[in-house]
Amino acid sequence: MFCIQIRNILFAVLCVCAFVFAQDKVNPAEMQGELQTRADLLQALKTGDMAKVDSALLVLSNEKIPESAIDSLEILQVNLIRGRYDLAVPQLANIFMKAGQKVRFSFANDSLFEYLRNETRFAAEYNDRPGDLDQRERLLKLKKYLTDAAQANMKQEYRDLASILVDLNPYYHFFDKEFWINLGGPSKRTLGMDSMANIVANRVESWVDFHQEMDTVAAKPMLERMRAFCANYPESEYSAWLGEKLGDIESSQEAYKRFRNYYIDKFYTGGLGFEAFIGNSWTYVIGVPIQFSWLIITPSYIGGKSSSSYRLDDGSMISDEGLDGFFVTVGFDVYENKWLKFQPFVGGIKFYTTGLQAEFRFWMSKTVGSEFHDAAYLSLKFRYMGIYHTAKTVTASEEDFEKGTSEEKEWCNKFLLGIGIHFW
């Protein structure tokens, strides 16, 4: 449903843009000469006749309505295919600089268009493979072109620019003409031939989404090359743009670090959890810790024996009825980092207790939830409990089995190991 809504929104944007640019409307019926020139360009590319390629590009580029006969993306694709990196590198940079702007796409959905998109691939979306695989293939194809461009025989400024664009490429996403055509639906009933010839929409979008995986280490060399380019070519038409992009990426990296290190802001805050322990004398404890800032209140239940031993004294047998019941502890989050947390506590109801709990977080949510900013972690826990309680002792004679019951205050030590989950 969400994808359908997005497609509808994009289609509405496309229609609005077509209306805005109505004064520069192209009539496909009047473009037969341009269509033939595009066919000649395709043939020249396939045969390697670069003189005819240049001639066809010159004719198509001089239309009264710019980019109506051949658009900048198609020109870039042509120059990449024929290895004219001295033209392609600045053309790609100019396309990136116009990211987010509405531009015109050429009028024709012809064999040249299909050839260019299938040969270069970096601007085309294919539905015959998973989206993430398709995106990786697109990035790798353009990376190959740019890697070759960085070694090409052209002026040093463009070689340096190509080496930057290699790593800057993943921060951009292309939309080719097919993408906008398909917004009209498979039948294209909502997007007629006239509208197909007058597409005005985004050719490329730029985003640096710190909510996604970001390799901050790999980005460092690219950022250094961007700084060096701005210093070495201060008069370049690309320096101001690269300087602005440099600032955007650095800001996003800082936001990414804060986003991935979200747990720092979660320390000493609050949350709800569940924990279970087992300890000496088959004692077990289950609890529900509720944290408010530094304060941790944990309603719990304990079961087991206060002592696992029995003794015979003057013909009497001692049997311990043990510990069973609810209790509540109040603890303080005295120290916490990504891996460890320490909590001294006191408590009581059925008995009095004091002790210390330490925990080791062995798993943690990578990021916080987008809607409620929530996260969770799992931890191993060690707890020491000193318990002062009333012990009931049942005494039975070995000879006549007459029973007696006595009560006395007793201090016992419990060492427990457990596991817990906590929701921040």
Side-chain angles (χ1 to χ4, degrees):
M1 179 64 69
F2 178 75
C3 293
I4 295 175
Q5 292 174 344
I6 291 297
R7 290 175 67 89
N8 291 338
I9 292 171
L10 289 173
F11 181 68
V13 171
L14 174 61
C15 293
V16 170
C17 292
F19 174 78
V20 172
F21 284 79
Q23 65 271 27
D24 293 330
K25 205 170 186 181
V26 172
N27 184 353
E30 300 174 355
M31 302 287 285
Q32 296 305 309
E34 289 81 356
L35 200 60
Q36 181 58 53
T37 304
R38 287 174 63 92
D40 294 340
L41 174 57
L42 174 59
Q43 184 62 27
L45 274 175
K46 289 182 176 180
T47 59
D49 190 338
M50 294 302 110
K52 287 187 176 180
V53 169
D54 289 333
S55 176
L57 285 175
L58 181 62
V59 171
L60 294 171
S61 300
N62 285 331
E63 282 294 312
K64 180 179 179 181
I65 301 176
E67 301 199 67
S68 60
I70 188 168
D71 58 50
S72 59
L73 175 58
E74 291 173 323
I75 296 174
L76 170 65
Q77 291 169 321
V78 169
N79 286 326
L80 288 173
I81 290 172
R82 64 180 182 151
R84 286 296 305 271
Y85 297 122
D86 58 318
L87 301 175
V89 169
Q91 286 167 351
L92 177 60
N94 287 328
I95 289 176
F96 282 170
M97 290 170 66
K98 293 181 179 179
Q101 298 181 22
K102 303 297 185 295
V103 296
R104 180 177 290 278
F105 287 79
S106 67
F107 78 99
N109 184 18
D110 57 0
S111 297
L112 175 63
F113 166 67
E114 292 295 333
Y115 174 79
L116 294 177
R117 79 189 301 263
N118 291 331
E119 188 71 18
T120 60
R121 300 186 70 83
F122 67 85
E125 294 190 39
Y126 296 90
N127 298 322
D128 60 346
R129 69 206 71 189
D132 57 342
L133 176 60
D134 180 54
Q135 176 67 5
R136 286 198 300 272
E137 290 182 354
R138 296 173 69 177
L139 293 175
L140 288 173
K141 187 67 175 181
L142 189 52
K143 181 178 181 179
K144 175 64 169 58
Y145 283 128
L146 292 171
T147 302
D148 292 342
Q151 306 299 322
N153 183 22
M154 56 184 178
K155 65 179 184 178
Q156 187 62 44
E157 177 187 347
Y158 287 170
R159 287 203 296 268
D160 292 344
L161 183 58
S163 67
I164 293 172
L165 297 179
V166 169
D167 297 317
L168 200 57
N169 172 36
Y171 295 93
Y172 291 87
H173 186 86
F174 280 91
F175 300 98
D176 72 356
K177 187 161 41 186
E178 184 74 15
F179 173 85
W180 295 108
I181 291 174
N182 285 334
L183 281 181
S187 65
K188 301 182 180 65
R189 287 191 299 269
T190 57
L191 195 62
M193 288 297 297
D194 186 63
S195 297
M196 288 170 58
N198 290 278
I199 296 176
V200 178
N202 290 351
R203 179 165 291 133
V204 65
E205 285 284 358
S206 170
W207 60 68
V208 185
D209 187 1
F210 62 83
H211 295 90
Q212 305 297 324
E213 289 291 337
M214 183 182 292
D215 192 341
T216 56
V217 176
K220 287 182 179 180
M222 177 189 68
L223 298 178
E224 289 301 322
R225 287 193 293 271
M226 293 171 72
R227 292 190 187 94
F229 186 96
C230 294
N232 295 333
Y233 310 103
E235 302 301 322
S236 172
E237 60 181 303
Y238 307 108
S239 291
W241 165 65
L242 287 176
E244 181 180 347
K245 198 67 184 177
L246 173 66
D248 291 342
I249 294 175
E250 288 179 327
S251 297
S252 295
Q253 286 190 336
E254 290 301 317
Y256 175 77
K257 291 176 182 178
R258 292 192 300 271
F259 178 68
R260 292 305 300 267
N261 297 334
Y262 69 90
Y263 50 83
I264 295 176
D265 295 327
K266 296 287 188 179
F267 294 159
Y268 313 109
T269 56
L272 177 68
F274 176 81
E275 57 191 14
F277 298 86
I278 188 167
N280 56 315
S281 305
W282 300 106
T283 304
Y284 65 90
V285 175
I286 57 175
V288 180
I290 306 168
Q291 184 167 350
F292 305 93
S293 185
W294 296 63
L295 184 68
I296 305 173
I297 300 173
T298 308
S300 303
Y301 179 85
I302 187 171
K305 296 181 178 181
S306 60
S307 174
S308 62
S309 64
Y310 67 90
R311 58 188 172 84
L312 294 175
D313 184 15
D314 298 331
S316 297
M317 183 171 63
I318 308 301
S319 176
D320 184 3
E321 291 187 352
L323 292 170
D324 289 287
F326 290 95
F327 66 100
V328 176
T329 62
V330 178
F332 299 92
D333 187 357
V334 295
Y335 178 77
E336 188 173 4
N337 62 28
K338 182 178 181 180
W339 306 108
L340 301 174
K341 183 177 181 179
F342 294 94
Q343 173 201 164
F345 60 86
V346 295
I349 287 183
K350 185 178 179 180
F351 51 79
Y352 298 104
T353 182
T354 186
L356 176 67
Q357 178 171 304
E359 57 183 279
F360 169 72
R361 299 184 178 113
F362 63 89
W363 176 87
M364 184 183 298
S365 300
K366 284 187 176 182
T367 60
V368 294
S370 58
E371 185 172 357
F372 299 106
H373 207 68
D374 56 318
Y377 65 82
L378 297 174
S379 59
L380 292 174
K381 304 191 176 192
F382 172 79
R383 176 185 285 188
Y384 163 73
M385 294 180 66
I387 301 175
Y388 185 70
H389 69 117
T390 301
K392 291 184 178 180
T393 302
V394 179
T395 305
S397 170
E398 288 187 329
E399 295 179 354
D400 53 15
F401 298 100
E402 292 182 358
K403 297 182 179 180
T405 302
S406 63
E407 294 184 356
E408 59 181 6
K409 297 295 184 180
E410 179 181 277
W411 176 273
C412 65
N413 298 304
K414 294 297 179 183
F415 300 92
L416 306 108
L417 187 65
I419 190 169
I421 183 170
H422 188 83
F423 300 95
W424 268 331

